[in-house]
Amino acid sequence: TRGMSLKHAPEELRRDREIVCAAVRENGLALRHVSEEMRGDRDVVLEAVRQDARALQHAPEDLRGDPVLQADSVRGNRLAGYRAQAPVILV
């Protein structure tokens, strides 16, 4: 799929937030091909897990334990619809 095209992309594209978010929205498992910095970005991981819960295995260990990123929490998030960009809410 298009999301997996990051596998062969130059590093500069793998760390471009817009490109990375578009890729993981298309295929959550594309998270394995993004830069280390982007894999550590909670919002990017949320986008990936929303598309495919298995993407969480490609996130850093500290994010794997994040309750918000667990499949049940992501599935139950009613703030954004299917494949919607993760909302940023400042409280």
Side-chain angles (χ1 to χ4, degrees):
T1 66
R2 291 186 314 183
M4 295 304 278
S5 61
L6 278 179
K7 181 178 182 178
H8 304 292
E11 183 64 25
E12 67 187 51
L13 296 179
R14 293 183 203 202
R15 64 176 177 254
D16 182 293
R17 196 166 203 284
E18 273 188 56
I19 291 171
V20 165
C21 283
V24 299
R25 280 186 211 119
E26 180 75 27
N27 184 332
L29 294 177
L31 186 64
R32 75 179 125 194
H33 300 299
V34 306
S35 72
E36 188 174 333
E37 176 186 355
M38 288 290 101
R39 276 194 307 270
D41 184 311
R42 189 172 184 246
D43 292 331
V44 169
V45 175
L46 179 59
E47 293 290 347
V49 172
R50 252 195 201 129
Q51 201 286 319
D52 189 325
R54 298 173 299 167
L56 194 57
Q57 68 187 332
H58 301 295
E61 193 171 332
D62 62 314
L63 290 179
R64 282 186 233 149
D66 187 326
V68 173
L69 297 175
Q70 302 310 306
D72 291 339
S73 297
V74 171
R75 212 175 5 258
N77 183 344
R78 300 290 182 230
L79 291 175
Y82 176 69
R83 288 187 159 187
Q85 185 171 1
V88 176
I89 300 172
L90 301 175
V91 180

